[in-house]
Amino acid sequence: MSATDFASLPQQNVLVKIEDGIAWVSLNRPSKRNAINPGIVFEMVQVLDVLEADDSAKVVVMTGSGDAFSAGMDLKEYFREPDAGSPIARERLNRANSAWQWRRLMHYPKPTIAMVNGWCFGGAFQFLCACDLAVAADDASFGLSEINWGIIPAGIVTKSVAAALQQRKALYYIMTGDTFDGPEAEKIGLVNFSVPRAEMKPKVVALAKKLMEKNPHVLRACKMGYHYARDMTWDMAAEYLTSKLDAAKFRDPEKGAVKGMTQFLDEKSYRPGLGAYRRD
Ligand code: COA
């Protein structure tokens, strides 16, 4: 992709920078705790399009500017105002929001990591759960606060939470609205790691580097395979994953499976149990 595409990003409601293969994507309304308004929604759709085509972005990290990851959907600009406007515009906004927050993000062709740097409420769980991996600061604060507003966690929040957490934990937090911190988020499986704030970014960078050593085409097939197979019967999943394996091998331009086999069996130059084959 050309530099012009990247330059076309507004860089207002969402900031994007690419450093050493990592695309840092920050929701950027710190004064509103990065609550998701239409500006964020439509910019995020554009950001995902641009980063998909940008070869210098190998891993995408989702985070927030300031001291919040995201305070969820903007009650005024995402709900109250659009609800009072045209039904078609309301529908268009919902569609665009679903597109970036889970339809596209969950199946995004590049690895994604959520870096939860602070407040994370309601609708923020949608894109947190849609990211492949997640790292939180110990002092981040999570909450399914919808019950406190007299509403249910809608959009796709309830389904995201049901997929990520065990029933007792999911229902506890959905029904009480209690907040919890990073260590609890790690304990219940909502994030992979919770670390002191100073270690959060280095942890994310280390994780991204580990992913960058792997074959990107196969990483893509791995996450597609995971999400689709999960909702299939066992027989369907076996059939689908066998075909997916063949398709991934066929489509892989670097022919990783052959390379790995040669490096292990013939050259005896690496141990696949301990690391990735050499991609160069
Ligand atoms: N929608 C709209 N505006 C929001 C918002 C949201 N989800 N979350 C925060 N804001 C706005 C506040 O209205 C305030 O705006 P103002 O400065 O114009 O008055 C600004 O962001 C700062 O919020 P404030 O409450 O003063 O910050 P805080 O640091 O003391 O508290 C939170 C942060 C996240 C704990 C608190 O803002 C909050 O509880 N927000 C709602 C979170 C929520 O329930 N989200 C789920 C939505 S479905």
Side-chain angles (χ1 to χ4, degrees):
M1 87 142 219
S2 70
T4 333
D5 293 328
F6 193 83
S8 72
L9 291 175
Q11 301 273 11
Q12 286 170 6
N13 295 289
V14 182
L15 300 182
V16 186
K17 64 176 176 183
I18 302 177
E19 281 171 359
D20 302 328
I22 304 175
W24 298 94
V25 178
S26 304
L27 303 190
N28 187 43
R29 299 181 71 221
S31 65
K32 300 289 181 187
R33 307 303 180 259
N34 303 320
I36 298 154
N37 69 345
I40 286 185
V41 169
F42 291 111
E43 250 177 86
M44 270 308 303
V45 171
Q46 202 179 344
V47 164
L48 291 182
D49 277 345
V50 166
L51 292 181
E52 182 176 17
D54 189 324
D55 291 340
S56 66
K58 314 278 187 209
V59 174
V60 174
V61 176
M62 289 296 314
T63 191
S65 297
D67 61 1
F69 178 66
S70 168
M73 307 317 294
D74 187 305
L75 277 301
K76 181 165 168 274
E77 293 186 35
Y78 187 85
F79 288 124
R80 185 190 271 172
E81 290 172 358
D83 284 352
S86 124
I88 290 178
R90 166 78 274 175
E91 180 53 36
R92 184 166 168 263
L93 181 57
N94 283 354
R95 204 167 52 238
N97 190 55
S98 298
W100 89 262
Q101 282 202 336
W102 61 276
R103 280 206 178 88
R104 296 223 34 219
L105 202 54
M106 193 187 287
H107 301 112
Y108 203 61
K110 301 183 177 186
T112 53
I113 303 173
M115 184 169 83
V116 186
N117 55 310
W119 303 116
C120 175
F121 285 101
F125 277 64
Q126 295 184 142
F127 62 97
L128 166 63
C129 293
C131 286
D132 303 323
L133 303 173
V135 175
D138 285 345
D139 59 358
S141 188
F142 297 78
L144 290 162
S145 54
E146 284 85 346
I147 189 72
N148 296 333
W149 293 96
I151 58 174
I152 68 165
I156 202 79
V157 173
T158 293
K159 189 162 174 65
S160 299
V161 169
L165 303 186
Q166 290 176 344
Q167 180 171 316
R168 296 280 178 236
K169 293 293 182 186
L171 281 177
Y172 179 82
Y173 287 117
I174 287 173
M175 295 174 76
T176 63
D178 281 3
T179 55
F180 53 97
D181 60 11
E184 170 72 355
E186 179 184 319
K187 192 168 138 209
I188 65 178
L190 186 60
V191 302
N192 297 90
F193 306 103
S194 176
V195 293
R197 177 165 295 272
E199 293 168 28
M200 177 181 64
K201 195 169 174 188
K203 183 79 184 171
V204 169
V205 170
L207 202 48
K209 282 190 175 154
K210 184 179 284 196
L211 293 170
M212 281 189 255
E213 289 169 2
K214 314 291 181 193
N215 180 318
H217 310 280
V218 182
L219 273 183
R220 178 183 184 176
C222 282
K223 51 193 275 193
M224 293 270 187
Y226 171 82
H227 286 298
Y228 287 118
R230 200 170 51 168
D231 294 331
M232 290 179 183
T233 64
W234 284 73
D235 282 324
M236 285 164 72
E239 191 59 26
Y240 161 74
L241 290 170
T242 305
S243 306
K244 191 80 185 161
L245 170 67
D246 289 344
K249 278 193 204 164
F250 179 73
R251 285 193 184 179
D252 176 11
E254 66 181 55
K255 301 297 170 207
V258 177
K259 230 180 240 181
M261 199 80 83
T262 304
Q263 289 173 11
F264 179 63
L265 293 178
D266 305 326
E267 298 171 2
K268 298 194 178 293
S269 57
Y270 98 118
R271 298 280 178 275
L274 306 177
Y277 69 84
R278 290 186 311 283
R279 298 186 52 222
D280 40 81

